[in-house]
Amino acid sequence: MTNPIYPSKSHKASDEFPGSLPLSPHKPTCRLRAAKASNHDMIERAPALHGGWKAEQLHGLSGAHGVPGGTARVPVYVMLPLDTVSPDGRLQRARALNASLMALRSAGVEGVMVDVWWGLVEKDGPLRYNWEPYLELVQMVERNGLKLQMVMSFHQCGGNVGDSCSIPLPPWVVEETRRDPDIVYTDRSGRRNPEYISLGCDTLPVLMGRTPIQVYSDYMRSFKHRFNSYLGHVIVEIQVGMGPCGELRYPSYPASNGTWRFPGIGEFQCSDKYMKASLQAAAVAAGHEEWGKDGPHDAGHYNQFPEDTGFFRREGTWNTDYGQFFLEWYSGTLLEHGDRVLAAAEAIFRGTGAKLSGKVAGIHWHYRTRSHAAELTAGYYNTRSHDGYLPVAKMMATRGVVLNFTCMEMRDEQQPSHANCSPELLVRQVKQAAKAAGAELAGENALERYDEKAYSQVLATSRADDSFGLSAFTYLRMNKRVFEGENWRHFVSFVKSMSEGGRKVVPHKSDCTHSDLYVGHITSGCKTSKRAEASAA
């Protein structure tokens, strides 16, 4: 997640799933069975029930890309909890998860997304992988008639907005960072960030004789080998992590320990020795060796505003020859890193039938200023006069990778005026960049939202009114609140609307199919006649 305007509540493990779940069955017979069955029976019989449903097939990632008129279906996925697999390598709360998947399927959801944590899978040592809890999940998802987006999560969980658990990098990798602290990103003051390995050492054997790119490649190759029989029909998308939060960016706004607070501009992350060596080489090649000593000295601190700094102010250093050189190098090395990781993924997953995607952060604060400071520190060279997203879109299009963008639910009017935000203009710019580059575009919401306004904004963004809409949308995130009465009704309506190309569909509030049918019982919100009908079945 990328926007902390309204910090998400951290959920305890017991809060991730409800005790009873709403269902929106495709056939009346299923609804009546649900009314009669107990919770236990419903959970145990879930595979059989779903196997018997003759519902409309909503598989694959075909969406609104390139389809005029805004009539194409946009499949909806739902992110699973961050701790779906526990630190000790178990699929957590499996029976409750299965019941939740049943409910999602009944609502017309296409599938779910899960983080496949490097810190859990390769925890026991180099090249020692434990895929078993994820295999159990894949099989459960398949039984429920859903699809999977699986994220190659090469980053740490914990320290960012919405992170409700802590999953560090593999212990043997953490040990390497202690031996050589420069293999993680470092800011100008020397503060180290443990979230992700610095791209400055992508091609150097700093991880027990392997380069980071080799380590990521070996991980993905082992994943492919273990899940080959599911790729392309159950596992339909592999999202490739390329930075903190799985996003192609630098960790310029770390929320841990109060280092950064919204809407601070963040800081450049290029002071580890490997990044410095790259900067020095670029400066020499440009004929300005003096430009390669370190990053900008006048770029301020994490929580400052653009006008507080010499670099980001209206007519600041960012718009000088030096500033342009530095920003081209800083953003260019990030693009090269993304291309290296995606090239490896493309070679490994080619021919499997699974799509590849990459995530780009929705950094919308200070977007209305000339310098776009927060985007610059994150690695996107996007200013009033320079398009920073077209190069990203072109790189992903070249690799056949879906560009997945966040903050699709946000409206300008909801943001604080002093932060100079514009999520709507940012999304529009990224959408135009993807269209121009010929890249497929998918979306996510940045923060947990359950209200109709957020859904309406996603619907508006997803429409292919300009012959270019979203190919898929992933909703953040599955937890207990999603399944609560009014929230569930809004969610089911949203999924239905997305299935009709963004045309808003509003179910009647008394429609038990959408909001009031729970596993094991019918709530008091349903009319007596409905309860009688169910009991008579």
Side-chain angles (χ1 to χ4, degrees):
M1 279 160 290
T2 57
N3 176 16
I5 292 179
Y6 308 107
S8 305
K9 176 184 176 182
S10 295
H11 297 280
K12 297 178 182 179
S14 60
D15 292 336
E16 296 293 2
F17 304 104
S20 58
L21 293 169
L23 291 177
S24 303
H26 295 282
K27 297 176 68 176
T29 54
C30 293
R31 184 173 73 246
L32 300 180
R33 287 178 196 163
K36 294 177 66 177
S38 67
N39 272 352
H40 176 77
D41 288 340
M42 281 298 295
I43 292 171
E44 294 301 316
R45 293 165 54 195
L49 278 174
H50 279 280
W53 288 350
K54 306 271 186 197
E56 177 188 2
Q57 296 301 304
L58 302 177
H59 302 159
L61 287 176
S62 58
H65 174 66
V67 180
T71 58
R73 182 183 62 85
V74 181
V76 174
Y77 291 76
V78 176
M79 294 185 198
L80 296 182
L82 293 168
D83 64 345
T84 295
V85 173
S86 69
D88 60 351
R90 292 180 299 104
L91 185 63
Q92 300 215 81
R93 305 177 296 277
R95 291 181 64 187
L97 175 59
N98 189 70
S100 299
L101 294 178
M102 289 176 61
L104 293 177
R105 172 60 174 165
S106 73
V109 165
E110 181 84 355
V112 292
M113 172 182 277
V114 68
D115 287 281
V116 184
W117 296 107
W118 182 27
L120 297 183
V121 173
E122 203 173 355
K123 180 175 67 172
D124 294 335
L127 301 171
R128 296 176 62 187
Y129 307 105
N130 176 21
W131 301 112
E132 297 317 297
Y134 291 103
L135 177 61
E136 185 180 351
L137 174 65
V138 171
Q139 293 170 340
M140 181 185 292
V141 169
E142 181 183 35
R143 288 195 301 269
N144 280 285
L146 294 168
K147 302 302 180 186
L148 258 174
Q149 299 169 318
M150 301 191 80
V151 186
M152 303 290 100
S153 296
F154 298 119
H155 60 285
Q156 165 189 288
C157 178
N160 282 290
V161 175
D163 285 353
S164 56
C165 63
S166 177
I167 303 173
L169 301 184
W172 59 274
V173 175
V174 174
E175 184 59 33
E176 291 301 300
T177 68
R178 295 193 182 106
R179 291 197 186 102
D180 182 3
D182 282 289
I183 68 174
V184 297
Y185 287 116
T186 307
D187 64 21
R188 187 177 176 84
S189 65
R191 184 184 286 104
R192 310 285 187 180
N193 188 303
E195 293 182 62
Y196 188 78
I197 301 299
S198 169
L199 64 81
C201 52
D202 267 357
T203 59
L204 300 174
V206 297
L207 296 178
M208 297 185 71
R210 290 185 294 163
T211 72
I213 297 298
Q214 287 174 331
V215 170
Y216 304 150
S217 298
D218 289 339
Y219 183 92
M220 291 187 286
R221 197 173 292 111
S222 176
F223 175 89
K224 177 193 173 185
H225 176 76
R226 189 68 183 89
F227 295 97
N228 195 50
S229 62
Y230 298 95
L231 287 168
H233 64 100
V234 179
I235 304 171
V236 295
E237 181 181 328
I238 305 295
Q239 186 172 111
V240 185
M242 295 176 281
C245 292
E247 297 165 335
L248 179 63
R249 65 172 176 88
Y250 294 98
S252 57
Y253 51 98
S256 60
N257 303 318
T259 302
W260 171 89
R261 296 182 305 276
F262 177 85
I265 57 177
E267 289 191 23
F268 292 114
Q269 306 289 313
C270 56
S271 294
D272 65 76
K273 67 183 181 184
Y274 301 107
M275 291 293 285
K276 280 186 174 181
S278 172
L279 176 58
Q280 289 165 0
V284 170
H288 290 276
E289 186 175 355
E290 70 278 11
W291 289 352
K293 295 179 181 179
D294 202 350
H297 69 279
D298 57 349
H301 303 294
Y302 286 103
N303 295 309
Q304 289 187 294
F305 276 54
E307 292 303 313
D308 298 333
T309 74
F311 192 86
F312 297 115
R313 65 190 180 193
R314 183 178 177 87
E315 298 297 340
T317 314
W318 65 273
N319 206 23
T320 65
D321 288 343
Y322 163 71
Q324 292 169 12
F325 157 79
F326 174 79
L327 294 171
E328 286 174 0
W329 167 79
Y330 189 69
S331 62
T333 55
L334 183 66
L335 272 178
E336 290 170 2
H337 167 71
D339 190 57
R340 280 191 289 267
V341 178
L342 292 178
E346 180 189 21
I348 291 165
F349 293 108
R350 184 185 298 124
T352 63
K355 286 194 174 187
L356 296 179
S357 69
K359 191 173 177 182
V360 176
I363 302 174
H364 56 82
W365 50 104
H366 304 300
Y367 185 89
R368 291 185 179 274
T369 64
R370 290 174 63 87
S371 65
H372 293 230
E375 292 163 85
L376 297 185
T377 57
Y380 307 131
Y381 186 4
N382 194 54
T383 68
R384 187 72 59 85
S385 57
H386 191 280
D387 189 339
Y389 298 103
L390 184 57
V392 175
K394 285 181 176 178
M395 183 270 289
M396 292 193 177
T398 299
R399 296 291 176 193
V401 173
V402 178
L403 194 165
N404 190 9
F405 196 68
T406 62
C407 76
M408 292 285 178
E409 83 284 14
M410 294 182 177
R411 296 184 179 184
D412 291 1
E413 64 187 31
Q414 298 170 333
Q415 316 307 322
S417 59
H418 71 280
N420 286 302
C421 301
S422 186
E424 292 181 59
L425 290 178
L426 174 59
V427 168
R428 186 183 306 170
Q429 181 185 353
V430 171
K431 197 173 181 181
Q432 291 171 347
K435 182 179 180 181
E440 199 168 314
L441 181 66
E444 295 180 3
N445 51 310
L447 298 176
E448 292 179 10
R449 295 281 296 274
Y450 311 95
D451 56 291
E452 194 170 355
K453 284 187 177 180
Y455 290 132
S456 295
Q457 184 63 24
V458 175
L459 289 171
T461 304
S462 70
R463 294 190 194 106
D465 297 333
D466 56 355
S467 301
F468 191 87
L470 299 182
S471 64
F473 179 81
T474 302
Y475 175 79
L476 180 151
R477 165 180 320 272
M478 188 176 84
N479 56 45
K480 183 177 181 178
R481 291 188 64 189
V482 176
F483 298 103
E484 294 173 352
E486 191 70 6
N487 292 345
W488 179 247
R489 196 179 70 85
H490 287 319
F491 178 75
V492 172
S493 173
F494 166 70
V495 174
K496 175 66 172 174
S497 297
M498 293 289 272
S499 74
E500 300 193 8
R503 185 178 66 82
K504 190 171 182 180
V505 177
V506 181
H508 194 274
K509 287 188 176 182
S510 64
D511 182 358
C512 297
T513 297
H514 289 292
S515 61
D516 292 326
L517 183 63
Y518 283 73
V519 173
H521 69 281
I522 295 179
T523 67
S524 58
C526 291
K527 294 183 178 179
T528 304
S529 60
K530 292 289 184 181
R531 183 179 291 118
E533 176 188 351
S535 301

